[in-house]
Amino acid sequence: NMAASAEGDAEGWCAAERPGAGGLALLGLAPSAPSCPHGPALLFVKTSQGKEEGRRFYACSACRDRRDCNFFQWEDEKVSEARLAAREEYNRNHQPSFTHRQNVERYENFVLLPLSKRRFCQECQQLLLPSEWEKHSDHQFLCDISTAQLKSPSQLLYPLENKKTNAQYLFADRSCQFLLDLIIDLGFRQVLCVGTPRLHEKIQSKASQEDDFRVRSLLLDIDFRYSQFYTEDEFCHYNMFNHYFFGGEASRETCRKFLYQDNGERVIMVTDPPFGGLVGALASSFKKLMSMWKKTEKEGHNNQEMPVFWIFPYFFESRILDYFPSFSMMDYQVDYDNHALYKYGKTGRRQSPVRIFTNLTPSMIVLPVEEGYRFCAICQRYVSSGNQHCEICNSCTSKDGRRWKHCVLCKKCVKPSWFHCNNCNCCALQNHTCEKTDAGCFVCGKAGHKRSTCPSLS
């Protein structure tokens, strides 16, 4: 039963974000961790009021939904040889049917075909060579795949929108163009795209069309379908939750070589992880990528960090700053093509909550004035026009684009829809349920303490 309950917890491992809350705590990547088809598993423990409780267990790093990967193992469990062999066999069978090299060769053959013979199977999400048509005859497929379509694979492939695993929400063109312009204006030449296929696509496409375009990019992504469109120097199959390169040492070396070009000068990492992902696991992987860069030959990298744009919702700000104190959050609202809510130009609650976190000096990040951003001379950064400078806090405090108001009792600015509640002794929505109600303890009914500290229990 205990196993079933822990396995149930593995399904909702997002709770592992708040070590103080009851639920799960992520203990990280153990050196001897067992592997599932997504690489080494992560170690978790059940917690109650911030204290570790019960046995530790391993669960898949990439999938929170057990229907996508049901890997589970107790940390202290003795696994028989037979089960280890069966697991290795299972992991092997759950790898893609073609290798990256085979996909590159298939692509080379595919582009030689006349337009009328270029087919893409929508069910298998695969470019088809004429000899394979028969096998896919009862599937839905697209015909006459043009060169332009091949250069925009993110529009050809179905977005994997399962929020708990892939959450492939793709940048709207406006945000993608803004990011690329910003990267060029800041003088970067090498862009490590971690889970940002649209940006990579834009860079690759410009590089192939414009002779004087100097920016290069490498895509690290868990979606192996991209290996059909990019060479081994342009794409690495990578899991950002456990820093796992599926292509092994060769793939890791590709990434290292990319970061080493020009002695690691003018490199920036841009990452757009699934929003349900564990910040702790992501931070650990990003630190490893950053230290890979730090090992470049460049003198004077010692105290520097590789420049990063981490794109994530603003309500994770404190978690990101816990891991990266040098980061700050920009006001720019990033929006997505295929996300119902995160669209540009909406007002109020429907504005995109997604922001850019970066370790670059905030004043360097110039935001478009025509989209309603302005420069705050006191904060020395661009802010959204509704973000008014608070003289008491001495900063532009709004996180969501609306004008926030200062609460003297809380000693900070709060959302315009919040009011100070004397019961809770903090600001909250007007019709919220108070935490400090007068209801008594569940055990004895008396006020002043909770069930867990009830004297009757002792």
Side-chain angles (χ1 to χ4, degrees):
N1 227 10
M2 171 79 181
S5 119
E7 287 191 52
D9 286 333
E11 191 168 323
W13 55 227
C14 202
E17 269 319 331
R18 298 179 304 283
L24 296 179
L26 167 68
L27 299 173
L29 205 52
S32 55
S35 286
C36 70
H38 304 93
L42 294 178
L43 186 60
F44 294 90
V45 67
K46 200 163 184 177
T47 60
S48 173
Q49 278 150 0
K51 294 190 184 70
E52 280 192 25
E53 236 184 38
R55 285 163 80 185
R56 300 168 170 212
F57 62 89
Y58 291 103
C60 174
S61 61
C63 308
R64 278 188 301 152
D65 193 327
R66 299 199 60 238
R67 283 168 299 200
D68 295 314
C69 181
N70 62 3
F71 183 84
F72 178 89
Q73 184 191 310
W74 294 114
E75 184 192 28
D76 54 8
E77 190 179 337
K78 292 276 175 276
V79 183
S80 69
E81 290 296 323
R83 203 168 132 216
L84 281 176
R87 183 184 287 167
E88 275 181 33
E89 175 75 2
Y90 177 87
N91 289 352
R92 257 198 312 277
N93 292 339
H94 281 75
Q95 293 312 317
S97 45
F98 293 110
T99 63
H100 194 166
R101 179 91 300 264
Q102 286 170 321
N103 271 340
V104 170
E105 285 163 10
R106 289 167 57 79
Y107 182 87
E108 286 165 359
N109 290 327
F110 189 89
V111 292
L112 297 175
L113 296 169
L115 204 57
S116 60
K117 293 203 166 168
R118 290 189 191 172
R119 289 186 183 178
F120 176 75
C121 177
Q122 286 182 293
E123 284 176 49
C124 305
Q125 294 284 285
Q126 189 184 315
L127 297 172
L128 297 182
L129 298 170
S131 59
E132 298 160 339
W133 288 2
E134 189 59 41
K135 212 166 62 181
H136 298 259
S137 58
D138 55 346
H139 292 180
Q140 293 275 314
F141 51 80
L142 298 172
C143 301
D144 304 340
I145 303 297
S146 66
T147 308
Q149 283 174 294
L150 292 172
K151 295 260 178 260
S152 313
S154 73
Q155 296 180 11
L156 189 60
L157 301 165
Y158 284 136
L160 304 171
E161 289 180 6
N162 173 343
K163 286 186 188 64
K164 289 187 173 176
T165 310
N166 306 90
Q168 265 183 348
Y169 296 112
L170 303 163
F171 292 147
D173 199 58
R174 161 193 161 268
S175 286
C176 200
Q177 192 59 57
F178 164 75
L179 281 168
L180 184 53
D181 291 344
L182 181 59
I183 287 163
I184 294 167
D185 291 346
L186 291 168
F188 293 109
R189 289 287 171 269
Q190 308 282 114
V191 187
L192 184 65
C193 294
V194 185
T196 57
R198 274 268 159 99
L199 181 62
H200 175 67
E201 193 172 285
K202 211 172 194 47
I203 294 170
Q204 291 292 320
S205 165
K206 278 179 95 71
S208 67
Q209 287 163 14
E210 302 170 20
D211 291 339
D212 56 348
F213 188 72
R214 293 277 166 266
V215 181
R216 293 294 174 265
S217 62
L218 170 66
L219 176 63
L220 306 188
D221 204 293
I222 198 164
D223 186 353
F224 191 67
R225 298 177 304 170
Y226 284 107
S227 67
Q228 299 178 85
F229 304 91
Y230 298 122
T231 66
E232 292 104 326
D233 289 337
E234 296 164 343
F235 169 76
C236 295
H237 192 200
Y238 175 77
N239 179 350
M240 66 172 94
F241 290 104
N242 57 4
H243 187 58
Y244 180 67
F245 286 89
F246 292 83
E249 199 42 51
S251 191
R252 186 184 290 271
E253 190 50 40
T254 298
C255 182
R256 202 179 287 125
K257 238 169 46 193
F258 181 81
L259 295 175
Y260 278 26
Q261 279 176 40
D262 301 329
N263 277 340
E265 286 281 333
R266 300 191 293 180
V267 173
I268 186 167
M269 177 174 114
V270 184
T271 182
D272 182 33
F275 302 151
L278 289 169
V279 176
L282 293 167
S284 164
S285 295
F286 299 160
K287 283 183 174 174
K288 285 173 183 163
L289 288 170
M290 289 161 87
S291 74
M292 217 187 234
W293 171 83
K294 211 166 184 163
K295 293 192 173 87
T296 55
E297 306 305 304
K298 172 91 176 84
E299 289 299 311
H301 266 182
N302 302 347
N303 301 318
Q304 265 183 306
E305 281 182 340
M306 169 164 75
V308 175
F309 286 162
W310 177 344
I311 292 154
F312 224 50
Y314 70 78
F315 34 82
F316 284 102
E317 182 181 22
S318 62
R319 299 287 295 131
I320 290 177
L321 299 187
D322 281 347
Y323 293 103
F324 294 105
S326 63
F327 281 32
S328 51
M329 186 177 85
M330 303 295 98
D331 271 20
Y332 182 79
Q333 293 188 12
V334 179
D335 55 304
Y336 295 79
D337 254 359
N338 54 328
H339 198 294
L341 300 182
Y342 301 171
K343 286 273 203 288
Y344 169 61
K346 293 194 172 179
T347 50
R349 304 277 306 157
R350 287 287 180 250
Q351 291 184 349
S352 170
V354 186
R355 304 288 182 268
I356 300 168
F357 292 86
T358 183
N359 49 4
L360 296 175
T361 310
S363 59
M364 293 165 66
I365 314 292
V366 179
L367 302 186
V369 175
E370 65 279 8
E371 287 181 22
Y373 297 99
R374 61 178 181 83
F375 189 73
C376 173
I378 309 170
C379 295
Q380 283 291 297
R381 69 181 182 100
Y382 278 81
V383 295
S384 74
S385 51
N387 192 355
Q388 294 298 311
H389 191 88
C390 171
E391 292 185 2
I392 307 169
C393 299
N394 194 26
S395 79
C396 294
T397 49
S398 166
K399 308 285 183 199
D400 62 8
R402 296 179 294 171
R403 185 174 182 166
W404 285 22
K405 58 185 184 184
H406 191 86
C407 172
V408 185
L409 297 170
C410 291
K411 297 188 171 64
K412 64 177 184 182
C413 286
V414 296
K415 292 180 178 180
S417 51
W418 286 17
F419 296 91
H420 196 84
C421 168
N422 293 326
N423 235 2
C424 300
N425 196 25
C426 68
C427 285
L429 281 168
Q430 212 158 13
N431 56 356
H432 73 287
T433 314
C434 288
E435 284 177 23
K436 294 185 182 158
T437 52
D438 297 327
C441 157
F442 288 144
V443 179
C444 67
K446 290 181 184 155
H449 64 266
K450 288 189 177 152
R451 174 179 56 188
S452 54
T453 54
C454 181
S456 325
L457 286 177
S458 58

